[in-house]
Amino acid sequence: MTEDNKKRSKELSRREFLKDAGLLVGGTAIGSTVLLAACGEAETITETATVTSTAPGGTTTVTSTSTVTDTKTLTDTTTAIANNFVCPFCGQELDTLSDLKEHVESEHEGELPKVFPASTGYIVVDSTSCIGCQTCMLACSMVHEGANSLALSRIQVIKNTLERFPNDIEIAQCRQCVNPLCVQACPIGACHVDTENGNVRVIDEEKCLGDICGLCSKACPFMPYRVKLNPTKNVSMKCDLCLNTPYWGEEGGPSGKQACVEACPQMAIKFTEETPSQQGTAGYNYKFEVAAEQQDSGEGGH
Amino acid sequence: MANGGYTGKILRVDLTTQEISTIDTSKYEQWGGGNGIGAALFWDLIPDRTLVDGFDPRNIVIMMTSPLSGTMVPYCSARTEVMGLAPQGYPVNWFTRSNFGGRFSPQLKYAGWDGIVVEGESAEPVWLKIENDNVTIESAADLWGLDTWETQETIWRKTTDYTRYGEWLDVGGVPSTNLPAIVVIGPAGENLSSIASLIHEKGSSAGQGGFGGVFGKKKLKAISVIGDGSVKIADPETLWNVRQHIRTEVNWPVKASTPAGRSSSCFACPNACRFVKADNVGNDAMCIESLYATDKVSYGSNDALKIGDLMQKYGVNAADLFWTFMYIHAQMYSGGEYLNSLYDQGILGSGKEIECYPLPGEVEKWGSLEWYDSLVRAISYRQGIGDDLADGVFRAAEKWGRLEEDLANGNLRYPQWGYSFHHTLPTAEWIYGSVFGDRDINEHTYFGMFNEPLASIDAETLVEMTSQKTVPFTGDPLMFNYQWQGADGSNMDLALEEGIYSSHFAKFVAYHRRHTRFFRQSLGYCDFSRLPRYLIATASAGDNWGFSDNAEVEMFNAVTGNDWTTEDCMKVGQRIWNLERALWVLEGRHRDAEVPSEFMFKPPLSTGINCNKILPVKNRDGAWIADANLDGMFLDKDGFEAFKDHYYALEGWDIATGWPTRANLEELGLKDAADALEAADRLGNPS
């Protein structure tokens, strides 16, 4: 498989994931316009050769070949696509996702829990206090994955700086729903309620099928959906209240700390043990009241 | 080689040939990032270093991130450094830097790029689309002529497949809740103004230098970038701990929102120095673009903010226009001060020596919002008087035959190289740094290290303690002595021996140049941040004042996995400063030209910007005081020349010419630069 083909299949599979989730609106597949006229560069500082082409419509499309890290992950993914519909309970291989789902439902009825006790912890936010720095997203990705990334974050800060207040920023966090549709949608119990850790809704990365499934994202009733694909590991990821944070010195989880709460300079993200109202969004929002001594003392500006 | 922070490759786009290639970052990591890597790239990519025309097709624009861009390092993650030959520079377009915040730099990193080099010129208007590794040159036929905000919204519509906002956007296969980050030029850049800025989002802009005009000359309307990658952190736990330690030390104030709006921040910054308002006026305005005021438009009013919005939409350098307005008409500073404008003198106006068309002739309209609007449009589209002013007011004054006179009387407040007055005095390190460099240095924080603490700490203790921290020039408190000659010249002996013209103060200038070149302009620590915190003492901090004296270095090491000391970092800063010095010398710099404009040697007509500075001064009786009365400071010509002797000697440069010497360059590992200077017959002689 050439580098380009690998890359293309990665991107296509990612798009399949979106299509499955019914969210892809349009557009043509990336990579389809890449031609293969290699032109080596002799110049000393240019060490990576490139693939250059002129595509219809007069645009030039180029794909750099230096995607080594990504390609490795991708090789694992593409290998997996062929035969990964394996029943985690009996090992039987199934042809499709729906076959697997039917198989588990009929053959292993008792294996998947039917009762989902409420989480003992929730994240609530004050989007109007948010300054849009997105540090919560970076904290989230770092403590879970060891990297700073927006794509690896399980909390979203949606931002449009050309908009007016308060429509410019919105924090979209996982609600740890009392009725967890993502958990119920998972055909194999990878997305589950962790009854040993405060009933937080988590995903078992070892079990998760990744981009060939995506039913958890599809099941999430909120927009943007709060369970998303981890593009590096090719597994779904969601907020676990920092239960599993290998890159963090702090104790996380429903009985510990949460990185987004700790990192937010505005105290716009709060942890609560109280179950918020499940109706609408009001229960998951709160208004941060600034104590007099915490108000702006002129740190900004010069 | 670092094992975190960098993506490993720099995007290289030739708009003439439409060829796109990559440059390996690893060779350049020794320069840190940003300005350091950019200067080294410029040196390598422009073989003819006598080139001094920013509009020459051979000029390049370099946009660099830092290894800390896209990370959670506070005050730092957002900045994008822009470099190249800058058309605003006078008398030649020196190699110059500028930078802007927002979130462009983080997105560039997530797309997998440490920077972008734009070469050549396109025949037709284009924009550059970057989605991870997929880089395309797109036609900008339908974008050319749009203002900077319209352009971004149009590109968002094109790149997000018209997905409804709030969903996971599909951006070329990248699922994202974030819109692409776009840097763009407005009509001013399209019409090759030397004071055109690059605008990102509502008001993040790289103004100084006129790189918007360079984009315009290259027919490059915009660069849009989005990615779903990551910045690897070598030591996440240390980064977390240092960042949270800073949070505790600084005690970040919470900035509450009101129904009128919220404070807003650049990427990963807790400072939230800007505002987003419900009425959408002046959103993301910061500093100078929010300071316009006249007798018709009061400071801080919505009309004043709308004037700032004009600069952002048309893409004009707000700092330069501020002084343009002061020069041609009575633009006030917030203190209510006026300069003696050309209009007030009867030189400029309808039917006057300098015709003001297309500005309205009716006097009562001058200084109103409508008047500003017509002026900004005239500049952006080069209509009438705007055609002159589009080349910068400095060049306009030259064309009008007024340059010498108005630089002497101070009506035209441009101390150096075609860049306006700023905090230039009494913070003397500011004028020195600007004159020995390429532009107004725009480095604010360093007077904060005196201003704030002097309210609670006595001056002698402060300079003693601070001078222990200023690696590599430690142990000499006199380096912070702002003693000047005084209005009557009676303290000239003190100023020469231990004040602003002394070898002691030269250490502060050298420290300042190196520190800013590395930490601010190469790593990206924002100039409005309160770092280096260790230099800003508070009485309550007691013996433990400030925080860790190398928090910035610790975070740099935590991200990159490097093991650099503060001294190492300062050395790289020195290296960058000297490589740029070599560039400027090849571009024509000589000691004789390093003299501030004439008005800087006279008592100021008005104080301009002073921000009520309080600075340490050692008196004749040997006592240190916190001096709040330095606003009348002006320079002495002999003193300035004496200072050049000290400063050049400290840097290891030739005192007669100001040119670097082979010994000094080779000590910094810059043999290439020494060879190039020698070949051009511009290598300094050892003292």
Side-chain angles (χ1 to χ4, degrees):
Chain A
M1 198 180 224
T2 68
E3 297 278 316
D4 278 318
N5 287 339
K6 284 182 201 167
K7 183 171 172 44
R8 202 173 308 152
S9 69
K10 175 195 178 190
E11 264 149 8
L12 287 171
S13 67
R14 199 180 298 165
R15 288 171 72 86
E16 296 290 314
F17 174 74
L18 283 170
K19 272 185 185 141
D20 267 3
L23 294 165
L24 191 59
V25 172
T28 52
I30 283 296
S32 61
T33 53
V34 175
L35 305 187
L36 298 168
C39 65
E41 272 266 354
E43 186 143 0
T44 45
I45 60 163
T46 307
E47 292 176 8
T48 314
T50 60
V51 183
T52 313
S53 75
T54 303
T59 62
T60 304
T61 307
V62 170
T63 304
S64 156
T65 56
S66 55
T67 52
V68 183
T69 329
D70 278 354
T71 341
K72 190 178 174 300
T73 323
L74 148 68
T75 314
D76 301 341
T77 310
T78 33
T79 319
I81 286 172
N83 54 4
N84 210 32
F85 297 110
V86 179
C87 173
F89 307 109
C90 67
Q92 185 181 335
E93 288 184 22
L94 286 305
D95 289 338
T96 66
L97 182 58
S98 36
D99 288 351
L100 174 61
K101 204 171 178 213
E102 277 172 28
H103 165 82
V104 173
E105 279 166 3
S106 57
E107 306 293 320
H108 307 285
E109 204 196 338
E111 303 284 351
L112 298 180
K114 296 281 180 289
V115 181
F116 310 100
S119 174
T120 57
Y122 303 84
I123 297 290
V124 294
V125 300
D126 176 4
S127 285
T128 61
S129 282
C130 177
I131 53 175
C133 71
Q134 300 182 301
T135 309
C136 52
M137 299 179 72
L138 303 177
C140 178
S141 67
M142 190 169 82
V143 300
H144 288 98
E145 312 292 342
N148 277 161
S149 169
L150 298 179
L152 294 178
S153 174
R154 299 144 191 238
I155 184 171
Q156 306 299 322
V157 175
I158 306 164
K159 198 176 172 186
N160 179 347
T161 61
L162 296 190
E163 261 287 359
R164 64 186 65 216
F165 175 83
N167 303 330
D168 56 325
I169 294 174
E170 189 186 334
I171 307 174
Q173 83 281 27
C174 170
R175 295 164 52 119
Q176 305 293 344
C177 297
V178 171
N179 182 25
L181 298 178
C182 56
V183 172
Q184 292 167 43
C186 182
I188 55 169
C191 187
H192 67 285
V193 174
D194 187 339
T195 49
E196 289 175 9
N197 290 290
N199 301 328
V200 61
R201 285 81 170 108
V202 297
I203 288 169
D204 183 339
E205 291 185 359
E206 297 298 316
K207 279 190 186 169
C208 179
L209 298 170
D211 62 0
I212 56 171
C213 175
L215 293 176
C216 47
S217 294
K218 199 174 173 180
C220 178
F222 300 99
M223 193 59 79
Y225 51 88
R226 313 297 154 92
V227 191
K228 71 161 296 215
L229 184 73
N230 176 329
T232 309
K233 290 180 179 167
N234 190 24
V235 292
S236 288
M237 60 178 185
K238 72 175 289 299
C239 173
D240 61 358
L241 298 174
C242 285
L243 182 64
N244 181 20
T245 48
Y247 300 93
W248 204 25
E250 304 278 1
E251 188 67 31
S255 55
K257 292 178 176 176
Q258 296 76 36
C260 57
V261 174
E262 297 297 309
C264 178
Q266 283 287 99
M267 302 180 198
I269 307 173
K270 194 170 78 169
F271 174 82
T272 178
E273 293 180 343
E274 207 174 304
T275 306
S277 161
Q278 298 295 295
Q279 301 301 315
T281 57
Y284 285 88
N285 294 327
Y286 82 108
K287 179 66 192 163
F288 179 75
E289 300 297 339
V290 186
E293 67 270 14
Q294 286 171 320
Q295 286 190 11
D296 183 8
S297 57
E299 164 81 3
H302 63 283
Chain B
M1 201 173 136
N3 61 10
Y6 303 94
T7 68
K9 61 191 198 296
I10 295 161
L11 177 63
R12 186 177 186 186
V13 179
D14 188 328
L15 292 177
T16 306
T17 62
Q18 300 223 325
E19 189 183 342
I20 302 178
S21 55
T22 62
I23 296 169
D24 196 332
T25 311
S26 58
K27 171 185 165 186
Y28 293 95
E29 286 178 11
Q30 56 178 306
W31 296 92
N35 181 231
I37 292 184
L41 277 171
F42 188 87
W43 182 272
D44 287 348
L45 295 174
I46 302 277
D48 179 5
R49 302 188 186 100
T50 60
L51 198 65
V52 285
D53 178 5
F55 291 128
D56 190 294
R58 290 169 292 172
N59 187 20
I60 62 178
V61 181
I62 302 168
M63 306 179 85
M64 279 304 303
T65 68
S66 119
L68 311 188
S69 304
T71 72
M72 62 184 295
V73 172
Y75 312 110
C76 182
S77 188
R79 310 301 300 184
T80 306
E81 189 83 0
V82 186
M83 290 145 290
L85 299 175
Q88 192 179 348
Y90 182 94
V92 300
N93 299 166
W94 310 109
F95 171 79
T96 293
R97 53 155 297 279
S98 183
N99 79 26
F100 63 95
R103 56 185 190 90
F104 185 84
S105 190
Q107 280 297 349
L108 196 56
K109 293 281 288 288
Y110 300 148
W113 304 101
D114 287 318
I116 307 172
V117 177
V118 181
E119 301 172 294
E121 281 182 9
S122 174
E124 300 297 329
V126 293
W127 63 284
L128 194 62
K129 183 164 88 173
I130 305 170
E131 289 168 352
N132 288 330
D133 272 351
N134 295 285
V135 180
T136 54
I137 299 170
E138 308 277 341
S139 167
D142 57 338
L143 301 175
W144 206 252
L146 298 185
D147 75 34
T148 60
W149 299 346
E150 291 165 342
T151 306
Q152 294 177 77
E153 286 180 330
T154 308
I155 291 177
W156 281 340
R157 284 200 298 275
K158 286 170 186 270
T159 51
T160 60
D161 290 342
Y162 298 86
T163 316
R164 190 165 60 81
Y165 178 68
E167 297 179 352
W168 285 94
L169 304 171
D170 174 45
V171 191
V174 179
S176 173
T177 52
N178 281 254
L179 292 158
I182 307 171
V183 65
V184 55
I185 59 167
E190 294 174 10
N191 293 306
L192 310 187
S193 168
S194 316
I195 54 165
S197 43
L198 300 176
I199 301 283
H200 163 53
E201 306 207 308
K202 203 99 184 188
S204 294
S205 65
Q208 297 287 60
F211 288 106
V214 182
F215 264 49
K217 185 69 173 31
K218 296 184 178 306
K219 291 257 189 342
L220 179 59
K221 179 68 176 174
I223 302 176
S224 169
V225 58
I226 190 158
D228 68 351
S230 310
V231 179
K232 189 185 167 201
I233 309 297
D235 183 354
E237 283 194 33
T238 299
L239 176 56
W240 177 271
N241 291 338
V242 177
R243 193 263 185 192
Q244 293 302 85
H245 179 62
I246 293 170
R247 174 181 190 147
T248 311
E249 287 281 349
V250 179
N251 191 20
W252 290 332
V254 172
K255 301 187 173 184
S257 64
T258 69
R262 73 170 95 229
S263 295
S264 81
S265 244
C266 290
F267 198 79
C269 184
N271 214 7
C273 63
R274 317 191 285 193
F275 293 92
V276 175
K277 292 161 59 196
D279 63 11
N280 222 353
V281 174
N283 285 1
D284 278 357
M286 176 58 196
C287 196
I288 194 103
E289 67 264 31
S290 62
L291 296 180
Y292 293 98
T294 67
D295 49 358
K296 299 192 181 61
V297 178
S298 59
Y299 168 73
S301 67
N302 254 19
D303 274 2
L305 294 175
K306 282 176 184 169
I307 298 170
D309 282 350
L310 290 171
M311 325 280 166
Q312 323 279 29
K313 281 169 73 170
Y314 289 95
V316 201
N317 179 352
D320 202 64
L321 282 197
F322 186 83
W323 297 92
T324 303
F325 295 162
M326 280 209 186
Y327 182 53
I328 66 174
H329 185 53
Q331 158 72 39
M332 294 162 67
Y333 185 61
S334 57
E337 296 153 7
Y338 285 92
L339 291 183
N340 193 16
S341 76
L342 295 181
Y343 169 77
D344 294 330
Q345 295 175 68
I347 295 166
L348 185 149
S350 195
K352 299 287 167 57
E353 183 187 327
I354 302 168
E355 182 53 59
C356 70
Y357 173 85
L359 303 180
E362 304 88 349
V363 173
E364 59 272 15
K365 287 192 178 167
W366 283 56
S368 65
L369 177 61
E370 294 72 25
W371 181 83
Y372 276 112
D373 186 66
S374 56
L375 177 54
V376 174
R377 277 191 290 123
I379 291 170
S380 301
Y381 295 106
R382 288 187 169 275
Q383 301 159 335
I385 192 173
D387 191 29
D388 292 343
L389 293 173
D391 296 327
V393 70
F394 194 89
R395 284 189 165 81
E398 184 183 40
K399 186 179 174 189
W400 298 337
R402 305 204 55 86
L403 193 57
E404 199 175 336
E405 181 184 337
D406 288 343
L407 285 177
N409 64 29
N411 285 341
L412 185 62
R413 299 204 146 209
Y414 281 63
Q416 74 288 302
W417 315 128
Y419 293 86
S420 61
F421 192 83
H422 202 167
H423 294 280
T424 313
L425 279 179
T427 36
E429 75 279 7
W430 193 299
I431 181 64
Y432 287 135
S434 301
V435 167
F436 302 145
D438 49 328
R439 50 164 279 190
D440 175 70
I441 53 173
N442 199 29
E443 293 157 358
H444 298 74
T445 309
Y446 300 83
F447 56 76
M449 73 198 215
F450 305 116
N451 249 38
E452 289 177 21
L454 283 173
S456 52
I457 298 176
D458 72 87
E460 182 164 2
T461 305
L462 181 72
V463 294
E464 293 266 347
M465 293 178 82
T466 306
S467 67
Q468 292 167 25
K469 307 265 189 171
T470 44
V471 174
F473 304 106
T474 52
D476 181 8
L478 284 173
M479 69 191 272
F480 303 122
N481 181 12
Y482 284 86
Q483 179 64 258
W484 66 298
Q485 71 273 17
D488 61 358
S490 60
N491 284 330
M492 188 65 191
D493 57 330
L494 290 177
L496 283 167
E497 284 159 27
E498 51 186 39
I500 62 166
Y501 306 123
S502 71
S503 59
H504 305 284
F505 204 84
K507 293 178 193 171
F508 181 33
V509 173
Y511 170 81
H512 189 216
R513 303 312 324 124
R514 295 170 196 193
H515 193 276
T516 52
R517 271 306 187 257
F518 186 75
F519 288 102
R520 294 241 178 279
Q521 291 130 22
S522 296
L523 291 193
Y525 286 104
C526 177
D527 187 48
F528 280 12
S529 75
R530 283 297 186 254
L531 297 172
R533 190 70 195 181
Y534 65 87
L535 293 176
I536 302 175
T538 57
S540 60
D543 290 341
N544 199 20
W545 66 312
F547 51 73
S548 157
D549 68 350
N550 52 8
E552 299 95 319
V553 185
E554 283 172 14
M555 290 189 285
F556 170 67
N557 286 336
V559 170
T560 58
N562 288 343
D563 190 21
W564 291 21
T565 63
T566 308
E567 263 159 322
D568 294 336
C569 295
M570 294 297 288
K571 194 77 179 176
V572 176
Q574 182 188 4
R575 227 175 147 226
I576 299 164
W577 182 241
N578 275 270
L579 182 67
E580 293 183 341
R581 183 77 183 175
L583 276 171
W584 297 324
V585 167
L586 291 166
E587 289 164 3
R589 187 66 63 87
H590 186 277
R591 173 179 176 136
D592 296 347
E594 296 197 320
V595 181
S597 298
E598 189 67 19
F599 74 91
M600 294 295 291
F601 297 102
K602 296 174 180 176
L605 293 172
S606 72
T607 50
I609 295 175
N610 57 61
C611 287
N612 305 312
K613 295 186 185 76
I614 304 169
L615 300 167
V617 168
K618 191 182 181 193
N619 274 342
R620 190 171 291 280
D621 62 7
W624 283 88
I625 60 161
D627 197 335
N629 299 305
L630 293 168
D631 288 348
M633 187 191 285
F634 55 91
L635 297 170
D636 178 271
K637 283 190 178 170
D638 293 337
F640 198 88
E641 291 304 316
F643 185 81
K644 275 152 75 172
D645 288 352
H646 295 309
Y647 177 70
Y648 293 169
L650 183 65
E651 291 286 12
W653 301 341
D654 183 346
I655 290 173
T657 58
W659 296 343
T661 59
R662 178 167 289 281
N664 118 259
L665 290 172
E666 289 193 350
E667 194 263 329
L668 294 167
L670 297 173
K671 184 177 177 300
D672 273 9
D675 293 345
L677 288 175
E678 187 166 9
D681 206 17
R682 285 182 163 264
L683 190 62
N685 294 313
S687 317

